[in-house]
Amino acid sequence: MIVDCGIYRDGRRTEGPADFSDALDEARATGDAFVWIGLHEPTEKEFDLVSSEFALHPLAVEDALRAHQRPKLEIYDDSLFVVIKPVVYEPQSDTVSAGELMLFIGDSFVVTVRHGEGAPLAAVRSRLEAEPEVLRHGPTSVLYAVSDAVVDHYIEVAAELQVDLEELEAQVFAPAGSGDSKNTAAGIYTFKRQVLEFRRATNPLSAPMARLSSAGVPFVDGDSQPFFRDVNDHLTRAVEHVEGLDRLLSDILSAHLAQVGVRQNDDMRKISAWAAMAAVPTMVAGVYGMNFRHMPELDWAWTYPAVIVLMGVAVVGLYRLFKRRGWM
């Protein structure tokens, strides 16, 4: 649906025609105005009206309707099409979810299409309307403000994930027996999926931001390059943070698997030690359980207590040996 439609002249919102086409004609006639239309998960019928009025390219319109796009920048004859994926961190479930935000930038117009709940468009519009000196730069100011807000939120989400990672790291390296190994492995895998979702939003955006930082991009004010370079610097920091999280997660998973292997070896050594101690009396008892007629010690008076003492001494000796070597 259409969330908002505004005409901005000289950096301030003004009253204008309700019809898109008339508003755009008026904005182009004055030369210092532009139209900003915001849509949230529009239907095909709703978007047909907007796309026909602003002559949006059909391929870009298809991407905007279907969503599930990678961050990208595409240049068409009549507009610039930018896809950004804002992310949201849910502290209750410690999960990261990504929405989608598409921007059509053209001659005296901006069309924003939002999918999901993660796009900060309402806050961006309010902030821009309070800063007319920024809005005077036209549609480029909207593209910059949206990109800056989304990328700054990347850094905040990365900080939240860093805290979760430290908690997970403390759980992995906790003393043996204080945690569930199966749940720890599942937690690492789940966290890795959250980081992967974050990477899908941040990494592909690097190329579009780098291109916006350079000269010669149509429908983008040439004086805006330093501002997009600043956004690109923040994005690079966020990408490096995410890459670091992913590497640490891989290291933590490897360390956890190594710990599991060491614990299994310890368990096997303990089992082997107990089996060895049980084998000695079993062997001695097995010898005297054989049905041989000529076993002279069977007739001795002290044979039974001697055999019991022998088995006890052998078991105690093995126990002390295994204890000294750390097997028990």
Side-chain angles (χ1 to χ4, degrees), residues 162 165 169 243-253:
Q162 180 67 41
L165 179 65
E169 189 175 18
E243 295 291 344
L245 290 174
D246 190 56
R247 287 193 297 269
L248 282 174
L249 269 175
S250 298
D251 294 341
I252 290 174
L253 181 58

Side-chain angles (χ1 to χ4, degrees), residues 55-103:
L56 304 180
H57 196 280
L59 292 178
V61 171
E62 182 181 358
D63 289 345
L65 286 173
R66 293 185 177 180
H68 303 294
Q69 303 295 315
R70 286 167 55 89
K72 61 182 178 179
L73 184 152
E74 294 180 348
I75 299 173
Y76 297 100
D77 294 336
D78 298 321
S79 63
L80 184 72
F81 181 57
V82 182
V83 179
I84 303 175
K85 294 180 73 71
V87 296
V88 176
Y89 176 80
E90 298 291 344
Q92 292 80 10
S93 56
D94 295 333
T95 58
V96 173
S97 59
E100 289 190 39
L101 181 58
M102 290 84 166
L103 296 95

Side-chain angles (χ1 to χ4, degrees), residues 284-300 303:
V284 175
V287 169
Y288 287 97
M290 293 185 292
N291 296 319
F292 293 125
R293 179 175 299 175
H294 301 291
M295 296 182 71
E297 59 269 27
L298 294 178
D299 297 328
W300 298 351
T303 297

Side-chain angles (χ1 to χ4, degrees), residues 115-249:
H115 292 269
E117 301 299 329
L121 284 184
V124 170
R125 189 186 287 262
S126 299
R127 187 182 56 152
L128 280 175
E129 290 179 353
E131 300 176 351
E133 66 280 1
V134 178
L135 267 177
R136 287 192 182 98
H137 294 279
T140 302
S141 63
V142 177
L143 177 58
Y144 161 71
V146 171
S147 303
D148 185 56
V150 170
V151 170
D152 284 347
H153 193 60
Y154 285 165
I155 298 176
E156 297 175 7
V157 173
E160 295 285 353
L161 290 177
Q162 180 67 41
V163 174
D164 291 345
L165 179 65
E166 291 172 358
E167 295 176 356
L168 184 61
E169 189 175 18
Q171 180 182 351
V172 169
F173 292 103
S178 60
D180 189 342
S181 174
K182 184 182 297 184
N183 289 340
T184 300
I188 296 174
Y189 178 75
T190 302
F191 194 91
K192 201 168 182 64
R193 288 191 63 86
Q194 305 307 315
V195 173
L196 177 61
E197 184 73 15
F198 198 8
R199 289 183 63 184
R200 288 173 178 167
T202 57
N203 287 22
L205 188 59
S206 297
M209 284 297 111
R211 190 169 183 183
L212 289 171
S213 303
S214 60
V217 180
F219 309 107
V220 175
D221 189 349
D223 296 333
S224 65
Q225 295 173 23
F227 298 96
F228 283 110
R229 279 199 295 268
D230 180 67
V231 175
N232 194 34
D233 289 341
H234 290 179
L235 177 62
T236 300
R237 190 170 72 182
V239 169
E240 290 175 350
H241 201 157
V242 174
E243 295 291 344
L245 290 174
D246 190 56
R247 287 193 297 269
L248 282 174
L249 269 175

Side-chain angles (χ1 to χ4, degrees), residues 269-291:
R269 286 192 300 179
K270 291 178 181 179
I271 294 172
S272 299
W274 285 108
M277 288 188 295
V280 171
T282 301
M283 179 188 66
V284 175
V287 169
Y288 287 97
M290 293 185 292
N291 296 319

